[in-house]
Amino acid sequence: MAISARATQAKGAVDVVTTFLARIRALADDPDALDLTFGNPHEMALPGFTAALRAHVEPRSADWFGYKASERPAQEAVAAGLSAELGLPFEPEDIAMTQGAFGAISLALALLTDAADEVVIPVPGWFCYEPMLHAVNLVPVRAPLEPVSFDLDVDAIARAITRRTRIVIVNSPANPTGRVYSKQEWESLAAVLEEASRTHGRRIWLISDEPYRRVLFDDVEFASPAASYPWTVIDYSYGKVLLAPGQRLGYLALSPLIPTHEREELRDALMPLGLAIGWGFPDAVMQYSVPEFETLTIDLAELTRKRDRLYAALTDAGFEITRPEGTFYLWGRAPGGDAIAFCDALAERGVYVMPGTLFDQPQHFRISLTATMEMIEAALPHLVEVATASRGAAA
């Protein structure tokens, strides 16, 4: 075999995604397709986003486009923003600028793990956790969320922990469910991780995956586990709040509550490991733009309007939908119980939604609210009609 065993495992874990992409290739050729799959933009970029890029693309010095690690002004802007949001005293040295959340998670894994360590991941959860872990010789261990509400199941996480566990990954607001977890849940998890760390004689770290932290509905309050469990690192991506996932920009942040000697050791390793994982720093113009990006956001009022319209229409039509508290997704049970059959029937009508099989949930589906309101209105009759037919076929 030409490829390595870990590459084979990583490929196997992501094949469900590539298979799905192959199934929706028709999108590229159909200008009338109603694409409600990924969180991609369907309208022009935020004016402030493009204005920031234009302001910084003109060089101001000979080294303007030279090699960049974590630029100090970007670190300062992030630390100030995080401190204000989370009420914790972040310092610029706690921040490593990365190529989106992918890069931040990769950096965290390089920073904290050794080969064959176990990493506990939520199910349903982001479908890239597992292949990323396989690719660096780590062992993913699934911990199910509560099966009806999709709340964090702290007991399930406790059962998943072994003496080989090094990291637990949590995601709030959660993709695909839209759930936002409370400080009380983080306090319960912190107690479990502290006890397990003592029992097994090694520190278990927490990666808090927070790319949707600023995409919240109904004045829901966000709480980060970094305030409850000192041994936490936060990954973040600007691609969500700016709705510009093709421009890779994010960061990894060390919790200020990490004990001083450990925090200093981690700080000293951020830049060398950012280089070691393949110069994982963002491009120069993106970093120069961070102070402006910190004040920008997609239209949350319009996003709420789209959520409310879809949620009301689908629940009225008999769908079982989890009402999202954050993110830009709607998560529901496929009528008839077969996500692939439901999504295929919609695709035949030019409506594309994501089957829950990508999240190891073959009875569910996900809709992206980044579609335009016009697309949503056009898709709704098809969703209702296909649901009716699916229920009839399953009866």
Side-chain angles (χ1 to χ4, degrees), residues 38-230:
F38 290 95
N40 272 321
H42 293 279
E43 297 170 287
M44 296 304 289
L46 293 172
F49 176 74
T50 52
L53 295 180
R54 281 195 298 269
H56 295 291
V57 76
E58 203 60 44
R60 303 176 193 176
S61 63
D63 68 345
W64 195 248
F65 300 120
Y67 284 110
K68 304 297 176 186
S70 292
E71 290 292 285
R72 183 72 180 190
Q75 292 175 296
E76 291 174 348
V78 168
L82 268 174
S83 297
E85 277 186 85
L86 304 185
L88 295 171
F90 288 88
E91 298 177 2
E93 293 79 11
D94 297 323
I95 310 302
M97 304 306 300
T98 63
Q99 291 272 340
F102 268 105
I105 294 172
S106 294
L107 178 59
L109 298 178
L111 192 67
L112 300 171
T113 64
D114 292 309
D117 279 346
E118 293 178 353
V119 178
V120 178
I121 58 176
V123 178
W126 187 44
F127 43 72
C128 288
Y129 293 140
E130 198 159 325
M132 288 183 73
L133 296 173
H134 284 309
V136 290
N137 282 333
L138 298 173
V139 181
V141 177
R142 299 176 179 184
L145 301 172
E146 200 284 327
V148 177
S149 67
F150 300 103
D151 284 333
L152 195 69
D153 190 333
V154 175
D155 290 336
I157 293 173
R159 290 191 296 269
I161 292 172
T162 74
R163 62 181 179 82
R164 294 171 57 193
T165 303
R166 184 58 167 170
I167 288 174
V168 173
I169 298 178
V170 291
N171 175 216
S172 176
N175 175 13
T177 67
R179 295 307 312 275
V180 177
Y181 305 129
S182 67
K183 183 173 177 59
Q184 289 72 28
E185 288 171 289
W186 297 138
E187 296 289 344
S188 297
L189 178 59
V192 164
L193 297 182
E194 186 60 40
E195 175 63 25
S197 296
R198 283 197 301 267
T199 299
H200 297 296
R202 71 189 306 223
R203 174 56 57 189
I204 298 173
W205 288 81
L206 197 61
I207 294 179
S208 183
D209 185 18
E210 301 180 6
Y212 300 96
R213 188 178 67 235
R214 296 172 177 173
V215 184
L216 299 167
F217 301 117
D218 305 325
D219 297 320
V220 167
E221 290 189 9
F222 174 80
S224 174
S228 300
Y229 186 66

Side-chain angles (χ1 to χ4, degrees), residues 8-17 127 130-132 134:
T8 300
Q9 286 183 303
K11 178 181 178 298
V14 83
D15 270 349
V16 65
V17 181
F127 43 72
E130 198 159 325
M132 288 183 73
H134 284 309

